[in-house]
Amino acid sequence: MFHIVINACQNVKAQGITITADGNSPNTDGIHVQGSSDVTILTSKIRTGDDCISIGPGTTNLWIENIACGPGHGISIGSLGKDENEAGVQNVTVKTVTLSGTQNGVRIKTWGRPSNSFVRDVVFQDATIVNAQNPIVIDQNYCPNNEGCPGQASGVKISDITYKNIHGTSATEVAVKFDCSSKNPCSGIKLEDLKLTYKNQAAQASCVHASGDALGLEQPQSCLS
């Protein structure tokens, strides 16, 4: 399931780690953090068949910097909100990362079902993305095998998420996708200096139930309302 798990820990520093798994190997997350605070992950190379770094419920004050990721599913918060009563995620910084040939770049994923969980105060900054399927994505309608959640809305509240200085290429036309909850729309999303292209053309953006602001260079054009 995971190579390294940081669970119910405080004041952890992980540095200079190399993790290698086949890109087609399922559920081979590199580093998983949950129920922990004041964790720092620095200067590591992670190649897996799942998330390079996954961030679970109850994570606070997490700093991730100088990470090379790929192949894999990118750097993900979630999935969250599987349970109705679940700790949230807050104060997360992901900085100076390169994601190459990954399924996702930077992702937030929540189950499409009732929950009192949340994600807030997150910064994704200075990222280089090379040919990712979904460079920037929020998916609040996660429902594996359509079991236990069809027709329901995610209760997870996502707010105050910043994407700053993110450049690179998308393997699909839609490089920025915010598919947020109809019950708890995403708010306070900030886009600043994005340049993501698809086949040397401007990529597209898709927003559902999302609001915020865009500043500086915008490629693709913001669809935030």
Side-chain angles (χ1 to χ4, degrees):
M1 284 291 292
F2 310 106
H3 288 79
I4 296 173
V5 176
I6 299 170
N7 179 40
C9 298
Q10 289 78 43
N11 301 312
V12 177
K13 183 179 180 181
Q15 185 170 1
I17 292 172
T18 299
I19 295 173
T20 305
D22 190 276
N24 293 320
S25 55
N27 292 320
T28 51
D29 294 64
I31 301 174
H32 180 71
V33 183
Q34 69 177 30
S36 299
S37 61
D38 301 299
V39 175
T40 303
I41 302 171
L42 302 174
T43 315
S44 296
K45 296 180 180 180
I46 306 174
R47 303 168 59 87
T48 72
D50 209 297
D51 293 329
C52 291
I53 299 174
S54 55
I55 302 159
T59 300
T60 61
N61 301 334
L62 172 63
W63 188 280
I64 296 168
E65 186 172 3
N66 196 20
I67 305 295
C69 168
H73 290 182
I75 296 175
S76 296
I77 297 175
S79 54
L80 301 178
K82 184 176 182 180
D83 299 320
E84 189 162 355
N85 294 308
E86 185 180 276
V89 170
Q90 61 184 344
N91 296 337
V92 174
T93 298
V94 177
K95 186 176 181 181
T96 315
V97 296
T98 300
L99 302 113
S100 301
T102 51
Q103 183 187 83
N104 308 289
V106 290
R107 173 173 64 165
I108 301 174
K109 180 173 69 171
T110 77
W111 286 72
R113 55 197 293 173
S115 176
N116 59 7
S117 189
F118 60 84
V119 181
R120 59 182 177 235
D121 300 321
V122 176
V123 176
F124 298 107
Q125 183 174 345
D126 302 334
T128 300
I129 297 175
V130 182
N131 210 36
Q133 297 286 321
N134 307 293
I136 295 174
V137 58
I138 296 176
D139 177 11
Q140 290 210 261
N141 291 291
Y142 180 62
C143 188
N145 302 317
N146 288 320
E147 294 179 1
C149 32
Q152 301 184 70
S154 176
V156 179
K157 176 59 180 174
I158 296 175
S159 60
D160 300 319
I161 314 295
T162 297
Y163 302 88
K164 184 175 181 179
N165 189 31
I166 298 178
H167 294 192
T169 55
S170 175
T172 60
E173 193 169 359
V174 179
V176 177
K177 185 175 182 180
F178 298 134
D179 186 11
C180 296
S181 170
S182 58
K183 180 180 179 182
N184 284 315
C186 299
S187 62
I189 294 178
K190 186 178 292 184
L191 304 175
E192 186 173 349
D193 293 329
L194 299 189
K195 186 178 182 182
L196 295 166
T197 60
Y198 169 67
K199 293 184 177 180
N200 296 317
Q201 302 291 324
Q204 302 296 314
S206 171
C207 299
V208 178
H209 306 301
S211 64
D213 299 298
L215 302 169
L217 180 67
E218 287 183 54
Q219 190 172 341
Q221 287 292 313
S222 173
C223 57
L224 294 173
S225 59

